[in-house]
């Protein structure tokens, strides 16, 4: 990741961007209940406030269609807030039993975006002196801490991605 010149950015995207997201697409077998449960546990354990943004299911002749979306937020400090969005989409999903294990078969999509918002309580005003103070504060006083926060957010994203990948067959 680019570590230079980010002091002026209010929000740093770790996974995804303002317009996009980290994506895993899979056609085949997967364990949806386990993915949902383990992802939610990770977010809970990391102290996120989880808002169920969307949960819809419909049954089509080709199988079940499901969308689950969570918007998650946590204050990391008085200056930094993490935001993580998870969206799971399945189409043509049918339940199958393989080796006495109940799995799902169909098309699966996992979308992840996570970002770090700095100065969310507007500690530094948007005026020129405020922008200069903020830039100096982030570049010289808390630069290392901000890098640590970025790494932490990256690790949390990796945990979610790992859970998903481990439950795709």
């Amino acid at each position: 990741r680019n570590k230079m010149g980010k002091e002026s950015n209010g929000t740093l995207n770790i996974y995804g961007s303002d317009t996009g997201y980290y994506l895993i697409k899979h056609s085949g077998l997967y364990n949806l209940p386990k993915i949902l449960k383990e992802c939610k546990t990770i977010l809970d354990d990391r102290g996120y406030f989880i808002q169920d943004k969307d949960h819809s299911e419909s049954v089509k002749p080709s199988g079940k269609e499901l969308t689950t979306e969570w918007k998650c937020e946590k204050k990391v400090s008085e200056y930094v807030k993490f935001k993580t969005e998870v969206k799971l989409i399945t189409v043509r999903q049918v339940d199958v039993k393989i080796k006495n294990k109940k799995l799902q078969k169909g098309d699966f999509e996992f979308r992840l975006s996570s970002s770090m918002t700095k100065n969310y309580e507007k500690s530094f005003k948007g005026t020129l002196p405020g922008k200069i103070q903020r830039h100096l504060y982030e570049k010289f006083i808390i630069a290392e801490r901000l890098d640590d926060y970025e790494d932490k957010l990256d690790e949390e994203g990796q945990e979610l991605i790992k859970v998903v990948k481990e439950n795709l067959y």
Side-chain angles (χ1 to χ4, degrees), residues 26-33 35 58 60-66 89-98 101-109 167-169:
H26 176 75
S27 290
L29 297 170
Y30 49 92
N31 188 336
L32 186 63
I35 290 170
S58 61
K60 308 270 192 227
S62 59
K64 192 188 292 184
E65 290 186 6
L66 177 116
I89 302 167
T90 66
V91 290
R92 291 189 292 283
Q93 177 180 308
V94 292
D95 290 334
V96 292
K97 203 164 192 172
I98 295 175
K101 199 174 183 183
K102 187 179 169 192
L103 297 172
Q104 291 67 45
K105 183 180 179 185
D107 297 325
F108 171 89
E109 203 170 285
N167 290 288
L168 302 177
Y169 307 101

Side-chain angles (χ1 to χ4, degrees), residues 122-140:
K122 305 292 180 234
S123 308
F124 296 103
K125 303 296 176 222
T127 60
L128 185 58
K131 288 179 182 175
I132 292 168
Q133 287 173 331
R134 179 177 162 202
H135 185 84
L136 294 172
Y137 177 69
E138 290 185 17
K139 189 166 182 84
F140 298 108

